[in-house]
Amino acid sequence: MGLKQVSGGRIAGETYRTNSPDGDLMIALAGNPNTGKSTVFNSLTGLKQHTGNWPGKTVTNAQGMYIHQHQRFVLIDLPGTYSLFANSVDEEVARDFICSGEPRATVVVADATCLERNLNLVLQVMEITDHVVLCVNLLDEAKRKKIQVDLPALSKILGIPVIGTSARDGAGLDALKDAVYQVAMGEIQTAPLKIRYGSAVEECLNLLEPAVKGIADKNVNRRWVALRLLDGDWDAEASLAQLPFFRIRKSKELSDALALADQMLLEDHLDRDSLRDHIVTCIVSQAEEITQRVLRCEKQNYNDLDRRIDSVLTSRIWGIPVMMALLGLVFWITIKGANYPSQILGTGLFWGQERLTQLFLSAGWPDWLHGVFVLGMYRTLAWVISVMLPPMAIFFPLFTLLEDLGYLPRIAFNLDNYFKKACAHGKQALTMCMGFGCNAAGVISCRIIDSPRERLISIITNNYAPCNGRFPTLIALATVFIAGELGSHQSVIASLIILAAIVTGVIITLIVSKLLSKTILKGIPSSFALELPPYRKPQIGRIIVRSLYDRTLFVLARAIIVAVPAGMITWVFANIHVGDLSILQHGANLLGPFGRLLGLDGFILMAFILGLPANEIVIPILVMSYMSAGQMIELDNLQALRELFLANGWTWLTAVCTMLFCLNHYPCGTTLMTIKKETQSIKWTLITFAITTATGIILCFAVAQSVRLLGLV
Amino acid sequence: MDMDRLIPLHRLIPGTCGKVSQLTANGNTRRRMLDLGLICGTRVEVLQKSPSGDTVAYEIRGAVIALRSEEASQILVELL
């Protein structure tokens, strides 16, 4: 599904290099989604990775390097695909790269527990190139399910090296590297199995192959080129014009042969469409036959456990309640667990602030310098770290755990009909889930949706999924204003409020998707098939490392980079006076009337505006604005926050409206830039900005005015 | 073949099995179905319906695939 590659939140660069330094051997890594291909990639290359985009495509290209037997290999991670018939951009990218002649060998990763389906792709790769190594991964899972794969027999049938691995424990990877080395260096001569397509097609191929010979690139299999010419794959694919062997079309000999072949096929009642069916049928049947020869299942119903789990997690009655309970539990653990470390970090960092202040005082440095550095930059930074880091460090691993277990596709399955009714794509639920981590990553993950219309809808609505930069704001407000008044069970109530915020976000996503489908993005949902992969035993160690390294540190670093200058600017705005008031107060006064209509105030709106670069800094900016306006208190815990806000005229309505506005306003700067990059359009970036902000304004206005009318405040 | 015995896949109830006999889809949808291994004679087991309705999980060649009724209705099967 391609989610793994984008989930890291690393924003892909524009290009990637195909030309490696002399002597490096390029190896392509292909495979179905959910086969542990990324695990194989990560295990082979470690941290020596580079992510970018395929030239001219919004498809992630990851490449990494490893050394084996003193030889450097560059491993190119192709998008996960089920076939190479170029039905989608992913398949096109994978196919074009394999037949470009650049890789010295192609490794196909297959799932041992679902071998038959995976062999489909293996057979297709073997048609393009002889230099193939099959990596039968997830042998540990197969063993657990008592499935035995006869690897030597499979290797003999396919005519290529077949290596069994359990990439998660590193088992078999050395053998894989050996096989890749041998195939790439030409030490092993492979003899890939040829699929037979019946006498009529074979006759045509015999006719075409000599015509292709001498004209097609020598790295590309002539039989494969002939087959593609026959089923008319070339015509629709403009991208193929860039491939070196496309000039074959110009040959007279070939056009004649092609015309004759078309005629022969028609006599056999095979037009282009039915030929395509015929070709796929032959491949699938071949895969089926091979599987029957090499697979032994001791237990007939080896998937029984998965089915039983699914019958609860996706059941009509329990599916949605269990989903809510799981999410609620994740938030409860996050809130409860973050509490204590947040306090320690807060205490430590504010102790540091006092020391810094003493230093500035004893050095006799001017007040404004102390203000800019300590009260502006340092304090914002301290807040961001103490409030952001602990929940992130707990939330991200938990979320990655759900992802690793294979639960996210079940969420998409559970909610699918709602998305269908909203005329949205079924995979939009998956992109929404990614948005909970980081909206920029969520927007990138929309690449898994092929249809441009539905992809735009998911991109525009992704921001309604509160990201990790906004959870701390929601948690803080929910804890001090709503749960705080209820005394005990604070974290339980806060979790429920966050859960309610998420449900609100999902409902708004559905409504806005529907509205978009009926107005500027008219259309009906395109066809889709969602795979519910087998549940996998999670790799706890790997989850912690990857979620901390890829996600937590990435998001935190970004927040820090933004927080420091934003803290400085806010302090300057709050302390430079024009007339009687500071610039910040002028702004707040200007925005005040509008803010109050929405149940907010001018300072809150100012904080959201200054917080455009990153949502994490909204609360710190707000705190600084309020504090510079007079009250100087020690702000090292949430209780102090509550007092500060109360002193500035907050009620529970202010908290609710601030949370609503936090949930529904323009995406942060990084996300906006990502939207611009992914849609290649300033127009859609601005539309996203306008729609999300309008949602917030309308909602806050409606809530604030209703509550006031009813006299509830 | 007796066409009357062919049922669109989405009509099958969970727990039953069908054998694919014809795809009525065209173009990209048809290719995707073929890629899933849905060729003539493929056995499909109906696993369960999504809690929100409409979408159904099927077991196709060892993999669990969820299809909406629009797609499943374009797969004609014989009841097994």
Side-chain angles (χ1 to χ4, degrees):
Chain A
M1 234 152 281
L3 276 182
K4 289 266 168 61
Q5 285 94 317
V6 297
S7 60
R10 285 170 300 191
I11 309 304
E14 277 301 345
T15 51
Y16 84 112
R17 74 197 156 96
T18 41
N19 302 322
S20 53
D22 291 340
D24 285 10
L25 295 184
M26 192 95 75
I27 307 293
L29 189 66
N32 284 15
N34 304 310
T35 53
K37 187 164 72 73
S38 302
T39 316
V40 173
F41 180 74
N42 291 330
S43 309
L44 285 178
T45 60
L47 296 176
K48 295 182 210 73
Q49 295 179 9
H50 166 81
T51 351
N53 275 6
W54 290 90
K57 303 262 165 56
T58 45
V59 175
T60 309
N61 167 293
Q63 47 183 299
M65 201 272 295
Y66 73 91
I67 295 172
H68 188 63
Q69 296 184 14
H70 311 294
Q71 173 63 48
R72 278 164 60 101
F73 290 90
V74 176
L75 196 63
I76 314 282
D77 193 11
L78 298 176
T81 59
Y82 294 118
S83 89
L84 292 177
F85 283 114
N87 296 333
S88 68
V89 190
D90 279 358
E91 290 176 17
E92 209 178 292
V93 162
R95 183 203 59 187
D96 288 358
F97 188 67
I98 294 172
C99 68
S100 70
E102 280 185 76
R104 288 288 290 266
T106 301
V107 177
V108 187
V109 182
D111 177 354
T113 66
C114 193
L115 192 64
E116 186 181 330
R117 239 272 300 287
N118 285 257
L119 278 180
N120 191 13
L121 181 72
V122 179
L123 292 171
Q124 289 185 39
V125 173
M126 280 164 45
E127 285 201 307
I128 302 180
T129 167
D130 287 352
H131 303 127
V132 187
V133 175
L134 173 58
C135 163
V136 178
N137 193 27
L138 298 168
L139 277 184
D140 46 347
E141 289 288 323
K143 196 175 169 190
R144 195 168 60 81
K145 293 184 173 176
K146 303 212 189 300
I147 300 172
Q148 278 183 349
V149 187
D150 188 344
L151 299 174
L154 185 59
S155 172
K156 214 171 152 200
I157 296 170
L158 294 176
I160 56 168
V162 175
I163 311 295
T165 59
S166 307
R168 298 184 300 187
D169 324 320
L173 290 175
D174 280 329
L176 181 65
K177 283 191 251 186
D178 283 340
V180 170
Y181 179 89
Q182 287 166 329
V183 170
M185 302 300 272
E187 287 178 12
I188 293 183
Q189 285 302 320
T190 53
L193 172 78
K194 292 282 166 259
I195 300 162
R196 298 288 151 197
Y197 293 103
S199 55
V201 177
E202 292 298 332
E203 263 178 58
C204 293
L205 291 178
N206 287 339
L207 189 74
L208 284 173
E209 272 184 62
V212 172
K213 187 180 177 183
I215 320 173
D217 203 279
K218 69 172 171 23
N219 286 316
V220 191
N221 188 298
R222 268 177 243 130
R223 186 184 159 84
W224 181 78
V225 174
L227 256 175
R228 294 290 84 77
L229 285 170
L230 213 53
D231 77 355
D233 212 3
W234 294 146
D235 297 334
E237 308 298 338
S239 78
L240 284 166
Q242 293 156 10
L243 292 177
F245 51 86
F246 192 67
R247 58 181 184 274
I248 50 179
R249 293 235 58 178
K250 291 187 177 109
S251 141
K252 169 90 171 64
E253 185 197 0
L254 188 70
S255 328
D256 292 346
L258 206 53
L260 190 61
D262 275 348
Q263 216 178 345
M264 283 164 65
L265 286 177
L266 274 179
E267 279 166 23
D268 223 59
H269 306 292
L270 278 171
D271 58 15
R272 294 239 151 129
D273 280 342
S274 50
L275 180 67
R276 176 78 70 115
D277 281 18
H278 175 73
I279 289 174
V280 177
T281 306
C282 289
I283 299 175
V284 173
S285 313
Q286 181 72 267
E288 187 181 334
E289 189 205 313
I290 295 173
T291 311
Q292 278 167 3
R293 285 163 66 186
V294 300
L295 208 70
R296 295 276 167 278
C297 304
E298 281 179 38
K299 278 199 298 189
Q300 202 55 47
N301 298 316
Y302 55 86
N303 280 328
D304 259 8
L305 183 63
D306 280 8
R307 301 286 170 276
R308 257 180 284 155
I309 297 172
D310 268 341
S311 70
V312 178
L313 292 186
T314 63
S315 86
R316 299 214 79 167
I317 303 165
W318 293 107
I320 290 176
V322 167
M323 188 176 79
M324 303 282 266
L326 268 175
L327 278 180
L329 184 69
V330 166
F331 289 118
W332 181 77
I333 296 174
T334 305
I335 294 170
K336 193 87 181 158
N339 216 341
Y340 190 59
S342 264
Q343 268 176 20
I344 294 178
L345 276 172
T347 312
L349 287 166
F350 285 100
W351 177 85
Q353 182 188 325
E354 281 164 30
R355 299 290 86 73
L356 275 174
T357 302
Q358 281 174 357
L359 178 77
F360 273 72
L361 283 176
S362 60
W365 287 327
D367 262 4
W368 65 265
L369 198 67
H370 173 254
V372 167
F373 278 99
V374 180
L375 299 180
M377 289 159 68
Y378 181 87
R379 201 162 53 182
T380 311
L381 188 69
W383 175 276
V384 166
I385 292 176
S386 65
V387 175
M388 291 272 309
L389 182 60
M392 274 198 316
I394 299 171
F395 177 85
F396 276 138
L398 288 175
F399 186 76
T400 315
L401 177 72
L402 286 182
E403 200 184 343
D404 232 45
L405 282 165
Y407 185 63
L408 298 193
R410 268 82 188 175
I411 295 183
F413 177 67
N414 283 344
L415 298 177
D416 187 57
N417 202 29
Y418 303 130
F419 280 89
K420 184 184 150 186
K421 283 188 178 142
C423 301
H425 198 278
K427 286 180 184 165
Q428 188 173 329
L430 285 176
T431 65
M432 189 182 72
C433 288
M434 296 317 297
F436 289 137
C438 165
N439 290 124
V443 167
I444 296 177
S445 76
C446 294
R447 288 172 176 187
I448 59 174
I449 299 172
D450 290 326
S451 140
R453 183 189 78 90
E454 285 140 316
R455 193 162 153 242
L456 267 176
I457 293 180
S458 339
I459 289 177
I460 295 172
T461 57
N462 194 273
N463 200 52
Y464 296 121
C467 68
N468 233 300
R470 289 182 277 168
F471 279 138
T473 306
L474 295 174
I475 291 172
L477 293 179
T479 311
V480 300
F481 264 92
I482 304 166
E485 289 173 3
L486 297 161
S488 58
H489 307 301
Q490 228 186 29
S491 44
V492 174
I493 292 156
S495 314
L496 290 176
I497 291 165
I498 303 299
L499 203 57
I502 284 178
V503 173
T504 312
V506 175
I507 293 171
I508 294 169
T509 301
L510 292 170
I511 294 173
V512 173
S513 300
K514 176 94 186 178
L515 286 176
L516 287 171
S517 294
K518 294 291 165 203
T519 54
I520 51 174
L521 286 167
K522 275 204 181 84
I524 50 156
S526 63
S527 69
F528 106 111
L530 177 74
E531 181 173 5
L532 303 180
Y535 289 104
R536 302 261 156 81
K537 205 177 91 203
Q539 298 292 103
I540 304 294
R542 192 178 284 272
I543 286 175
I544 291 172
V545 170
R546 290 214 78 83
S547 59
L548 289 185
Y549 173 78
D550 269 2
R551 298 179 169 178
T552 312
L553 288 184
F554 171 81
V555 177
L556 186 71
R558 204 189 62 204
I560 288 173
I561 290 167
V562 169
V564 171
M568 187 183 78
I569 291 169
T570 312
W571 189 88
V572 170
F573 280 0
N575 287 276
I576 292 182
H577 287 68
V578 179
D580 286 344
L581 299 170
S582 68
I583 297 176
L584 198 75
Q585 277 165 321
H586 278 297
N589 285 347
L590 200 67
L591 293 167
F594 181 61
R596 277 186 291 279
L597 277 180
L598 307 184
L600 311 170
D601 66 27
F603 286 105
I604 301 173
L605 280 182
M606 276 299 280
F608 275 109
I609 292 169
L610 289 170
L612 173 71
N615 285 299
E616 294 86 344
I617 56 173
V618 169
I619 293 279
I621 290 176
L622 185 58
V623 166
M624 203 188 304
S625 317
Y626 282 151
M627 297 222 284
S628 68
Q631 303 84 354
M632 205 58 197
I633 54 162
E634 273 300 313
L635 198 81
D636 52 3
N637 61 51
L638 290 176
Q639 191 51 38
L641 186 72
R642 179 182 158 84
E643 279 158 27
L644 176 73
F645 285 175
L646 282 176
N648 280 280
W650 278 48
T651 63
W652 65 267
L653 179 64
T654 324
V656 167
C657 287
T658 308
M659 286 171 74
L660 274 175
F661 199 74
C662 175
L663 195 61
N664 304 285
H665 70 293
Y666 41 81
C668 73
T670 316
T671 307
L672 284 171
M673 282 193 290
T674 310
I675 295 174
K676 161 86 190 9
K677 207 166 5 184
E678 294 292 305
T679 59
Q680 300 286 323
S681 148
I682 293 181
K683 185 184 111 187
W684 287 111
T685 313
L686 292 176
I687 287 178
T688 310
F689 188 100
I691 291 176
T692 44
T693 311
T695 317
I697 292 174
I698 293 168
L699 260 180
C700 288
F701 180 80
V703 169
Q705 298 308 320
S706 324
V707 168
R708 282 178 192 148
L709 265 177
L710 294 170
L712 295 175
V713 199
Chain B
M1 191 183 299
D2 184 5
M3 292 297 282
D4 294 343
R5 283 177 41 229
L6 298 187
I7 316 165
L9 184 59
H10 74 291
R11 295 267 193 76
L12 260 52
I13 54 164
T16 58
C17 288
K19 198 172 85 178
V20 176
S21 74
Q22 199 190 327
L23 302 181
T24 57
N26 289 312
N28 221 359
T29 311
R30 183 183 186 90
R31 295 186 196 176
R32 277 169 194 282
M33 286 178 179
L34 291 169
D35 283 346
L36 292 174
L38 285 167
I39 60 170
C40 257
T42 305
R43 186 177 172 279
V44 177
E45 187 184 339
V46 187
L47 295 177
Q48 66 184 112
K49 225 172 173 157
S50 144
S52 57
D54 190 70
T55 310
V56 176
Y58 301 96
E59 179 168 335
I60 302 167
R61 296 187 181 271
V64 181
I65 310 284
L67 297 173
R68 287 179 176 173
S69 58
E70 280 83 355
E71 280 76 50
S73 67
Q74 302 182 59
I75 301 165
L76 301 183
V77 298
E78 270 176 79
L79 189 65
L80 285 179

